[in-house]
Amino acid sequence: MEQLATVLVRPGEADRLIAGHPWLYKGSILRITAAAADGAVVQVKDHRQRFLGVGFYNSKSKIAVRMLAPDRVEVNEKFFAERIRAALALRTRYMPGATSFRVVNSEGDLLSGLIVDKYEDVLVLQTSSLGMDQRKGMILAVLQELFAPRAILERNDMASRRFEGLPEAQGTIVGEAPGPVGVKLNGLEFKLDLATGHKTGLYLDQQENYRRVAELVKTTNAKQVLDCFSFLGGFALHAAQAGAERVLGLDQSADAVAAATQNAAANGLAERCTFEEVNVFDWLKAQTVPAPHEKVVPRFDFIVLDPPSFTRNRDSVPDALRGYKEIHLRALKLLRPGGTLATFCCSHHVDANLFLDSILAAAYDCHRVLRRVAVFHQAPDHPVLPSVAETEYLKGFAFEIAR
Ligand code: SAH
């Protein structure tokens, strides 16, 4: 094996690496024993020269080393084949029926900086660290061998690549441009234009929650459903398929509303689903601030709140909590007695307890008592490593109005 440059870690900074966190910040480095090229594999040792593992080095990034393994592995095609096979095996175990899912989710699959999504027979790749980006060739070879996909797209158009000194890039890198792909989730089909769509496509992390919300719609015999922040209609279509008679989806994006409307039609649910291009905050406010001598009429049996993350960083948490409280307050006012609210938070900076606090503050203000009937998490293709706090971000609850 080639001689690797050694990165020595400051006293006290080794513990999190030993616990499995793969990020070594620039500020945690004591010194580097030899010049290391950006993107190269380095070995990492604590200040007493005890070996901690190997990782990708990048002097341009705040995360100077992304750990790959606690032993001296060769980072070659065989290494990627083993890691990606292990990731795939996890999906097969926990999501046996799924045909579209996230194959590799970065830190959660011990491959910091690599995301691979499978949309039926098309794969979408993101490499957000220099070390991964430089090894795209090996990774593509493994993916072709494992999946024989019709096409592989690169969606490296995220601004965060800048922090690694990487340019933005996007396009078809294997096969022909696939055109719209019909993605199957729980028996419904969603048309996706992977070349231009939001993120890398659909919110695959909600795949199981769609199914569970559909079950709740069925169990509670909900007929009038509101899906706030509906995007491509994930929750709306599942609710309609589960027996809801009228589903209203709200999203501020005209493209999302058009796509959701088409998805409803393609699944034979056009009669039951309507999508409107509105700002959810404004819409909810207009519905819940009554004119003089009028009352707010609760008219929904089931409401879904699945907003985008309201936080960019820790500083924006107070504003985010005000936002969460507001939509909950208004949604609760629109729920019929005995109705159900399914609500989600995808911000890593707002944990389940903080999120729950904002919901309870809203319930308090409108004198409702809530009964929790479900707890939601991200789907198993977005694995959570409790020692790597950043891997956990999606949480949700369903509540009945108890009183
Ligand atoms: N529930 C969706 C995911 C929602 S993602 C699903 O399961 O796929 C967040 C969506 O909220 C995006 O489609 C975005 O266009 C929309 N959005 C963001 N802010 C909004 C606002 N203030 N009003 C309405 N829609 C908004």
Side-chain angles (χ1 to χ4, degrees), residues 198 201-206 210 227-236 250-254 256 276-282 304-310 344 346:
H198 190 245
L202 266 168
Y203 288 91
L204 292 168
D205 52 3
Q206 291 284 27
Y210 291 148
D227 177 10
C228 296
F229 310 95
S230 50
F231 191 43
L232 303 183
F235 285 107
L250 307 176
D251 202 290
Q252 70 182 9
S253 148
E276 284 180 25
E277 181 192 336
V278 294
N279 180 315
V280 167
F281 283 88
D282 297 343
V304 178
L305 297 176
D306 182 27
S309 171
F310 293 150
F344 298 89
C346 61

Side-chain angles (χ1 to χ4, degrees), residues 62-375:
K62 247 184 7 197
I63 305 174
V65 181
R66 290 173 186 256
M67 300 299 288
L68 289 160
D71 33 30
R72 278 189 180 78
V73 290
E74 286 264 10
V75 183
N76 50 21
E77 201 174 309
K78 182 165 160 276
F79 167 82
F80 284 109
E82 281 173 13
R83 286 279 161 97
I84 297 173
R85 261 181 217 284
L88 177 59
L90 181 83
R91 278 67 179 169
T92 316
R93 265 198 312 282
Y94 289 100
M95 307 176 74
T99 51
S100 291
F101 49 85
R102 180 155 287 188
V103 179
V104 175
N105 197 26
S106 202
E107 285 79 17
D109 289 295
L110 312 182
L111 287 169
S112 178
L114 177 65
I115 290 179
V116 181
D117 285 329
K118 174 181 184 300
Y119 291 105
E120 305 303 320
D121 55 358
V122 175
L123 298 180
V124 180
L125 176 82
Q126 279 183 52
T127 44
S128 60
S129 79
L130 180 67
M132 281 297 171
D133 201 74
Q134 288 179 347
R135 287 155 187 87
K136 221 155 52 184
M138 296 180 198
I139 297 167
L140 288 176
V142 171
L143 293 174
Q144 283 179 281
E145 163 88 30
L146 271 180
F147 296 95
R150 173 160 68 93
I152 303 182
L153 275 66
E154 172 179 32
R155 279 304 299 265
N156 278 325
D157 47 344
M158 60 282 193
S160 59
R161 284 189 31 123
R162 227 176 341 126
F163 303 126
E164 290 276 327
L166 285 165
E168 297 192 16
Q170 106 173 55
T172 307
I173 44 179
V174 171
E176 308 251 306
V181 179
V183 176
K184 298 198 182 65
L185 300 179
N186 309 307
L188 287 164
E189 190 171 294
F190 295 82
K191 271 261 179 307
L192 272 196
D193 186 349
L194 292 166
T196 58
H198 190 245
K199 272 201 1 178
T200 61
L202 266 168
Y203 288 91
L204 292 168
D205 52 3
Q206 291 284 27
Q207 180 158 200
E208 301 229 320
N209 298 331
Y210 291 148
R211 185 176 49 72
R212 292 182 62 202
V213 161
E215 277 163 16
L216 283 170
V217 165
K218 201 177 253 166
T219 315
T220 59
N221 201 22
K223 296 299 171 209
Q224 305 283 330
V225 175
L226 177 65
D227 177 10
C228 296
F229 310 95
S230 50
F231 191 43
L232 303 183
F235 285 107
L237 266 61
H238 279 82
Q241 192 193 31
E245 283 165 6
R246 299 263 355 115
V247 183
L248 175 59
L250 307 176
D251 202 290
Q252 70 182 9
S253 148
D255 289 347
V257 166
T261 305
Q262 279 180 11
N263 284 330
N267 287 279
L269 299 168
E271 308 266 279
R272 295 161 179 246
C273 296
T274 313
F275 295 90
E276 284 180 25
E277 181 192 336
V278 294
N279 180 315
V280 167
F281 283 88
D282 297 343
W283 189 93
L284 285 174
K285 191 167 180 188
Q287 302 288 316
T288 49
V289 177
H293 314 297
E294 283 186 4
K295 272 176 45 183
V296 175
V297 186
R299 56 196 175 93
F300 293 102
D301 305 311
F302 203 109
I303 299 182
V304 178
L305 297 176
D306 182 27
S309 171
F310 293 150
T311 60
R312 256 170 225 278
N313 48 43
R314 221 154 265 295
D315 296 341
S316 52
V317 168
D319 280 343
L321 293 176
R322 271 190 290 279
Y324 286 121
K325 182 180 169 190
E326 174 169 347
I327 53 176
H328 286 93
L329 178 63
R330 301 199 187 279
L332 287 172
K333 288 183 178 174
L334 290 176
L335 260 190
R336 289 199 179 122
T340 307
L341 173 69
T343 178
F344 298 89
C345 168
C346 61
S347 167
H348 163 69
H349 299 289
V350 175
D351 69 14
N353 286 326
L354 263 186
F355 183 50
L356 184 59
D357 282 348
S358 72
I359 301 168
L360 291 183
Y364 177 90
D365 281 6
C366 60
H367 307 285
R368 300 281 206 278
V369 177
L370 304 179
R371 178 185 298 120
R372 198 179 71 199
V373 292
V375 178

Side-chain angles (χ1 to χ4, degrees), residues 17-79:
L17 302 184
I18 294 170
H21 204 297
W23 299 350
L24 178 63
Y25 290 104
K26 219 178 221 171
S28 307
I29 293 180
L30 195 60
R31 63 193 164 85
I32 306 180
T33 59
D38 286 340
V41 175
V42 291
Q43 56 177 341
V44 178
K45 294 184 175 178
D46 74 4
H47 66 290
R48 294 207 175 109
Q49 300 278 350
R50 281 175 297 209
F51 180 77
L52 297 171
V54 297
F56 288 138
Y57 178 72
N58 187 357
S59 67
K60 294 199 182 63
S61 172
K62 247 184 7 197
I63 305 174
V65 181
R66 290 173 186 256
M67 300 299 288
L68 289 160
D71 33 30
R72 278 189 180 78
V73 290
E74 286 264 10
V75 183
N76 50 21
E77 201 174 309
K78 182 165 160 276
F79 167 82

